mmCIF file of all heavy atoms in Angstrom:
data_model
loop_
_atom_site.group_PDB
_atom_site.id
_atom_site.type_symbol
_atom_site.label_atom_id
_atom_site.label_comp_id
_atom_site.label_asym_id
_atom_site.label_seq_id
_atom_site.Cartn_x
_atom_site.Cartn_y
_atom_site.Cartn_z
ATOM 1 N N LEU A 53 15.178 21.075 0.853
ATOM 2 C CA LEU A 53 14.699 22.397 0.484
ATOM 3 C C LEU A 53 14.016 23.087 1.703
ATOM 4 O O LEU A 53 14.344 24.210 2.060
ATOM 5 C CB LEU A 53 13.721 22.375 -0.682
ATOM 6 C CG LEU A 53 14.283 21.890 -2.002
ATOM 7 C CD1 LEU A 53 13.160 21.740 -3.047
ATOM 8 C CD2 LEU A 53 15.374 22.816 -2.533
ATOM 9 N N PHE A 54 13.067 22.363 2.283
ATOM 10 C CA PHE A 54 12.347 22.837 3.468
ATOM 11 C C PHE A 54 11.584 21.662 4.083
ATOM 12 O O PHE A 54 11.458 20.627 3.478
ATOM 13 C CB PHE A 54 11.406 24.020 3.190
ATOM 14 C CG PHE A 54 10.882 24.130 1.775
ATOM 15 C CD1 PHE A 54 10.177 23.074 1.186
ATOM 16 C CD2 PHE A 54 11.116 25.266 1.040
ATOM 17 C CE1 PHE A 54 9.692 23.230 -0.115
ATOM 18 C CE2 PHE A 54 10.643 25.388 -0.245
ATOM 19 C CZ PHE A 54 9.959 24.362 -0.845
ATOM 20 N N PHE A 61 6.710 25.948 9.371
ATOM 21 C CA PHE A 61 7.514 25.862 8.150
ATOM 22 C C PHE A 61 8.997 26.157 8.533
ATOM 23 O O PHE A 61 9.294 27.136 9.219
ATOM 24 C CB PHE A 61 7.002 26.885 7.155
ATOM 25 C CG PHE A 61 7.780 26.925 5.881
ATOM 26 C CD1 PHE A 61 7.721 25.869 4.990
ATOM 27 C CD2 PHE A 61 8.576 28.020 5.571
ATOM 28 C CE1 PHE A 61 8.441 25.870 3.794
ATOM 29 C CE2 PHE A 61 9.279 28.047 4.379
ATOM 30 C CZ PHE A 61 9.238 27.002 3.481
ATOM 31 N N ASN A 63 12.565 26.647 6.532
ATOM 32 C CA ASN A 63 13.209 26.837 5.245
ATOM 33 C C ASN A 63 14.713 26.638 5.402
ATOM 34 O O ASN A 63 15.268 27.118 6.376
ATOM 35 C CB ASN A 63 12.897 28.234 4.684
ATOM 36 C CG ASN A 63 13.169 28.363 3.254
ATOM 37 O OD1 ASN A 63 13.074 27.392 2.474
ATOM 38 N ND2 ASN A 63 13.581 29.532 2.787
ATOM 39 N N GLU A 64 15.362 25.963 4.474
ATOM 40 C CA GLU A 64 16.781 25.879 4.478
ATOM 41 C C GLU A 64 17.368 27.198 3.998
ATOM 42 O O GLU A 64 16.811 27.822 3.099
ATOM 43 C CB GLU A 64 17.296 24.747 3.586
ATOM 44 C CG GLU A 64 16.929 23.376 4.117
ATOM 45 C CD GLU A 64 17.502 23.111 5.512
ATOM 46 O OE1 GLU A 64 18.762 23.092 5.645
ATOM 47 O OE2 GLU A 64 16.719 22.916 6.443
ATOM 48 N N ALA A 65 18.486 27.577 4.559
ATOM 49 C CA ALA A 65 19.050 28.922 4.301
ATOM 50 C C ALA A 65 19.410 29.111 2.797
ATOM 51 O O ALA A 65 19.310 30.221 2.314
ATOM 52 C CB ALA A 65 20.316 29.117 5.150
ATOM 53 N N ASP A 66 19.782 28.016 2.159
ATOM 54 C CA ASP A 66 20.200 28.166 0.737
ATOM 55 C C ASP A 66 19.112 27.797 -0.261
ATOM 56 O O ASP A 66 19.410 27.614 -1.449
ATOM 57 C CB ASP A 66 21.462 27.335 0.489
ATOM 58 C CG ASP A 66 21.296 25.869 0.826
ATOM 59 O OD1 ASP A 66 20.216 25.529 1.344
ATOM 60 O OD2 ASP A 66 22.204 25.049 0.588
ATOM 61 N N THR A 67 17.938 27.652 0.185
ATOM 62 C CA THR A 67 16.804 27.399 -0.745
ATOM 63 C C THR A 67 16.376 28.665 -1.454
ATOM 64 O O THR A 67 16.055 29.644 -0.754
ATOM 65 C CB THR A 67 15.584 26.795 0.011
ATOM 66 O OG1 THR A 67 15.975 25.553 0.586
ATOM 67 C CG2 THR A 67 14.428 26.555 -0.938
ATOM 68 N N PRO A 68 16.405 28.692 -2.757
ATOM 69 C CA PRO A 68 16.052 29.904 -3.509
ATOM 70 C C PRO A 68 14.616 30.346 -3.220
ATOM 71 O O PRO A 68 13.740 29.495 -3.013
ATOM 72 C CB PRO A 68 16.256 29.541 -4.987
ATOM 73 C CG PRO A 68 17.152 28.326 -4.944
ATOM 74 C CD PRO A 68 16.816 27.630 -3.692
ATOM 75 N N ASP A 69 14.400 31.656 -3.324
ATOM 76 C CA ASP A 69 13.021 32.205 -3.093
ATOM 77 C C ASP A 69 12.028 31.691 -4.155
ATOM 78 O O ASP A 69 10.815 31.784 -3.925
ATOM 79 C CB ASP A 69 13.075 33.721 -3.174
ATOM 80 C CG ASP A 69 13.844 34.309 -1.988
ATOM 81 O OD1 ASP A 69 13.988 33.602 -0.968
ATOM 82 O OD2 ASP A 69 14.294 35.480 -2.104
ATOM 83 N N ASN A 70 12.554 31.246 -5.255
ATOM 84 C CA ASN A 70 11.755 30.684 -6.334
ATOM 85 C C ASN A 70 10.952 29.446 -5.884
ATOM 86 O O ASN A 70 9.946 29.082 -6.534
ATOM 87 C CB ASN A 70 12.727 30.285 -7.458
ATOM 88 C CG ASN A 70 12.051 30.070 -8.765
ATOM 89 O OD1 ASN A 70 10.984 30.611 -9.029
ATOM 90 N ND2 ASN A 70 12.640 29.229 -9.590
ATOM 91 N N PHE A 71 11.365 28.818 -4.800
ATOM 92 C CA PHE A 71 10.712 27.624 -4.309
ATOM 93 C C PHE A 71 9.873 28.000 -3.050
ATOM 94 O O PHE A 71 10.356 28.589 -2.123
ATOM 95 C CB PHE A 71 11.744 26.581 -3.861
ATOM 96 C CG PHE A 71 12.522 25.983 -5.012
ATOM 97 C CD1 PHE A 71 13.657 26.567 -5.518
ATOM 98 C CD2 PHE A 71 12.093 24.764 -5.596
ATOM 99 C CE1 PHE A 71 14.332 26.042 -6.553
ATOM 100 C CE2 PHE A 71 12.795 24.236 -6.633
ATOM 101 C CZ PHE A 71 13.910 24.853 -7.128
ATOM 102 N N GLN A 72 8.590 27.609 -3.134
ATOM 103 C CA GLN A 72 7.678 27.859 -2.031
ATOM 104 C C GLN A 72 6.949 26.545 -1.698
ATOM 105 O O GLN A 72 6.977 25.594 -2.488
ATOM 106 C CB GLN A 72 6.648 28.913 -2.425
ATOM 107 C CG GLN A 72 7.235 30.240 -2.911
ATOM 108 C CD GLN A 72 7.774 31.069 -1.789
ATOM 109 O OE1 GLN A 72 7.148 31.143 -0.709
ATOM 110 N NE2 GLN A 72 8.915 31.693 -1.977
ATOM 111 N N SER A 73 6.367 26.530 -0.529
ATOM 112 C CA SER A 73 5.650 25.306 -0.147
ATOM 113 C C SER A 73 4.406 25.664 0.615
ATOM 114 O O SER A 73 4.340 26.711 1.248
ATOM 115 C CB SER A 73 6.562 24.408 0.708
ATOM 116 O OG SER A 73 5.914 23.160 1.003
ATOM 117 N N LEU A 83 4.750 21.681 -3.429
ATOM 118 C CA LEU A 83 5.979 22.420 -3.768
ATOM 119 C C LEU A 83 5.636 23.274 -4.975
ATOM 120 O O LEU A 83 5.231 22.727 -6.041
ATOM 121 C CB LEU A 83 7.106 21.441 -4.081
ATOM 122 C CG LEU A 83 8.372 22.053 -4.729
ATOM 123 C CD1 LEU A 83 9.012 23.097 -3.784
ATOM 124 C CD2 LEU A 83 9.386 20.947 -5.064
ATOM 125 N N ASP A 84 5.774 24.611 -4.859
ATOM 126 C CA ASP A 84 5.533 25.524 -5.928
ATOM 127 C C ASP A 84 6.860 26.077 -6.384
ATOM 128 O O ASP A 84 7.636 26.601 -5.596
ATOM 129 C CB ASP A 84 4.634 26.666 -5.449
ATOM 130 C CG ASP A 84 3.283 26.232 -4.939
ATOM 131 O OD1 ASP A 84 2.636 25.444 -5.664
ATOM 132 O OD2 ASP A 84 2.894 26.602 -3.828
ATOM 133 N N ILE A 85 7.080 25.955 -7.733
ATOM 134 C CA ILE A 85 8.249 26.625 -8.290
ATOM 135 C C ILE A 85 7.711 27.745 -9.148
ATOM 136 O O ILE A 85 7.041 27.514 -10.183
ATOM 137 C CB ILE A 85 9.079 25.620 -9.141
ATOM 138 C CG1 ILE A 85 9.393 24.402 -8.297
ATOM 139 C CG2 ILE A 85 10.354 26.296 -9.575
ATOM 140 C CD1 ILE A 85 10.169 23.313 -9.061
ATOM 141 N N ARG A 86 7.996 28.970 -8.751
ATOM 142 C CA ARG A 86 7.320 30.157 -9.348
ATOM 143 C C ARG A 86 7.800 30.451 -10.744
ATOM 144 O O ARG A 86 6.966 30.782 -11.603
ATOM 145 C CB ARG A 86 7.520 31.349 -8.434
ATOM 146 C CG ARG A 86 6.841 31.194 -7.085
ATOM 147 C CD ARG A 86 6.787 32.487 -6.315
ATOM 148 N NE ARG A 86 8.098 32.963 -5.973
ATOM 149 C CZ ARG A 86 8.334 34.011 -5.182
ATOM 150 N NH1 ARG A 86 7.316 34.692 -4.669
ATOM 151 N NH2 ARG A 86 9.543 34.379 -4.903
ATOM 152 N N SER A 87 9.058 30.297 -10.983
ATOM 153 C CA SER A 87 9.563 30.617 -12.327
ATOM 154 C C SER A 87 10.745 29.632 -12.588
ATOM 155 O O SER A 87 11.929 29.959 -12.359
ATOM 156 C CB SER A 87 10.066 32.051 -12.393
ATOM 157 O OG SER A 87 10.584 32.355 -13.674
ATOM 158 N N ASP A 92 16.642 24.060 -12.536
ATOM 159 C CA ASP A 92 15.715 23.444 -11.558
ATOM 160 C C ASP A 92 15.238 22.041 -12.030
ATOM 161 O O ASP A 92 14.493 21.396 -11.303
ATOM 162 C CB ASP A 92 14.479 24.369 -11.393
ATOM 163 C CG ASP A 92 14.853 25.687 -10.772
ATOM 164 O OD1 ASP A 92 15.824 25.715 -9.974
ATOM 165 O OD2 ASP A 92 14.233 26.710 -11.105
#
Side-chain angles (χ1 to χ4, degrees):
Chain A
L53 296 173
F54 25 58
F61 178 69
N63 196 32
E64 292 300 298
D66 57 355
T67 298
D69 292 340
N70 196 26
F71 292 85
Q72 304 285 319
S73 185
L83 169 62
D84 301 309
I85 308 177
R86 294 192 295 187
S87 181
D92 297 328

